[in-house]
């Protein structure tokens, strides 16, 4: 094993797949000459050249469309958005073309493409740069949605995403690019759609994904001091959702808390709540509690932003609520 940063895991995954398959290429704003806005493509222009690592204009709709079209001629593009907030400019290409090509062509065309970049908030970036759209994309048939929380998961799942024959939304975080973690020296690939039990426990199940899961770990450490044992499931993939992993854990702990950095209405945690109450209702000893952001655009003020975001104290309160403590 070796210890690398999250951004290095992303770079390694892309580079290894580009060495393996000449049809893979990377395009996006500042991915080439600048080595990526977050240095996640450092050195790739030097290795692969400007035909496979392509700087684009600030025109998300345009380069998303070029990339989607190129899949129909045998290419496997990786499209980097500086943040997924900017993907809204190109979302027509993602929803109406990438997600539907296979069905609308009667299976004649597949669309092997990865749209990747950071999601959700990253400090004081204001309302339009602090949004989480995992549930938007997960709501669309034809798309797979991956939101890793560690360098190990990021590398293994990005390699799987690049090899997948369907479009994959791969969501990262500006606040995770510097995170360090262990990854194997050799090649490895993680299966899409399989959750990971990051912490074993017996009293309550906490389900989360992405960078916000760190708050669940903080809460679990504090709760352990009070004799409360938390099991933490990292979804890793939002769609397809590994509902079996969630149900098995709930059947063991009989209580569920879901932590998600998203607006509270009709989000991923809402879907999980529905699944669990419909398929494991008799195992629940308390109502499910979901923890989300406030139901407002993200504030710029640091004081208000702290209130807006879920944190470990929110998780602790939720766990004690389902435990009737």
């Amino acid at each position: 094993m070796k210890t690398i940063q999250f951004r290095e895991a992303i770079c390694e995954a892309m580079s290894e797949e580009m060495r393996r398959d000449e049809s893979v290429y990377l395009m996006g704003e500042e991915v080439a000459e600048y080595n990526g806005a977050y240095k996640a493509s450092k050195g790739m222009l030097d290795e692969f050249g400007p035909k496979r690592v392509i700087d684009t204009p600030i025109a998300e709709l345009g380069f998303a469309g070029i990339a989607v079209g190129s899949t129909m001629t045998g290419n496997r593009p990786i499209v980097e958005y500086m943040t997924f907030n900017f993907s809204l400019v190109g979302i027509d290409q993602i929803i109406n073309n990438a997600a539907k090509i296979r069905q609308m062509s009667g299976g004649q065309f597949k669309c092997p493409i990865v749209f990747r970049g950071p999601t959700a908030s990253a400090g004081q970036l204001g309302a339009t740069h602090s949004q989480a759209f995992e549930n938007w994309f997960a709501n669309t048939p034809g798309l797979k949605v991956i939101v890793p929380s560690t360098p190990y998961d990021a590398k293994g799942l990005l390699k799987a995403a690049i090899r997948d024959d369907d479009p994959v939304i791969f969501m990262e975080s500006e606040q995770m690019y510097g995170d360090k973690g262990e990854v194997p020296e050799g090649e490895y690939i993680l299966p899409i759609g399989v959750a990971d039990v990051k912490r074993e426990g017996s009293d309550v199940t906490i389900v989360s994904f992405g960078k916000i899961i760190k708050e669940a770990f903080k809460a679990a450490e504090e709760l352990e001091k009070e004799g409360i044992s938390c099991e933490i499931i990292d979804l890793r993939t939002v769609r397809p959702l590994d509902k079996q992993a969630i149900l098995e854990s709930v059947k063991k702990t009989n209580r569920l808390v879901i932590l998600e950095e998203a607006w509270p209405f009709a989000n991923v945690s809402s879907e999980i709540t529905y699944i669990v109450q419909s398929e494991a209702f008799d195992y629940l000893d308390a109502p499910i509690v979901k923890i989300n952001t406030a139901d407002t655009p993200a504030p710029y003020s640091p004081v208000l932003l702290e209130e807006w975001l879920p944190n470990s104290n929110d998780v602790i309160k939720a766990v004690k609520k389902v435990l009737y403590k």
Side-chain angles (χ1 to χ4, degrees), residues 3-110:
T3 300
I4 61 174
Q5 290 184 332
F6 195 103
R7 59 168 57 88
E8 294 173 304
I10 296 294
C11 187
E12 284 190 5
M14 294 191 294
S15 298
E16 287 175 14
E17 292 306 302
M18 286 176 70
R19 293 181 198 119
R20 173 183 170 273
D21 185 346
E22 290 189 355
S23 70
V24 179
Y25 70 91
L26 171 67
M27 73 187 309
E29 296 154 6
E30 299 185 353
V31 299
E33 296 287 347
Y34 192 65
N35 287 310
Y38 312 105
K39 301 299 179 276
S41 52
K42 187 175 182 180
M44 291 180 65
L45 175 63
D46 293 338
E47 178 174 356
F48 300 105
K51 287 189 176 181
R52 294 185 69 197
V53 182
I54 305 166
D55 275 332
T56 67
I58 303 174
E60 288 81 4
L61 178 62
F63 64 76
I66 290 168
V68 171
S70 77
T71 67
M72 303 171 76
T73 58
N75 292 290
R76 307 183 78 90
I78 305 165
V79 174
E80 177 180 309
Y81 291 119
M82 201 173 291
T83 89
F84 265 96
N85 298 284
F86 305 150
S87 76
L88 298 191
V89 182
I91 200 168
D92 177 56
Q93 290 295 334
I94 301 172
I95 303 297
N96 282 330
N97 288 332
K100 296 177 174 62
I101 282 174
R102 185 186 285 273
Q103 186 201 47
M104 292 183 71
S105 69
Q108 295 178 83
F109 293 105
K110 56 190 180 183

Side-chain angles (χ1 to χ4, degrees), residues 35 41 44 54 57 82 85 93 97 100 113 116 132 146 169 174 177 189 193 197 202 209 251-252 254 266 268 320:
N35 287 310
S41 52
M44 291 180 65
I54 305 166
M82 201 173 291
N85 298 284
Q93 290 295 334
N97 288 332
K100 296 177 174 62
I113 186 170
R116 52 158 292 270
I146 299 171
I169 307 294
E174 290 110 314
Y177 286 121
I189 294 178
V197 179
S202 57
F209 58 89
K251 288 176 181 179
K252 179 176 71 171
N254 310 116
V268 175
K320 289 185 175 181

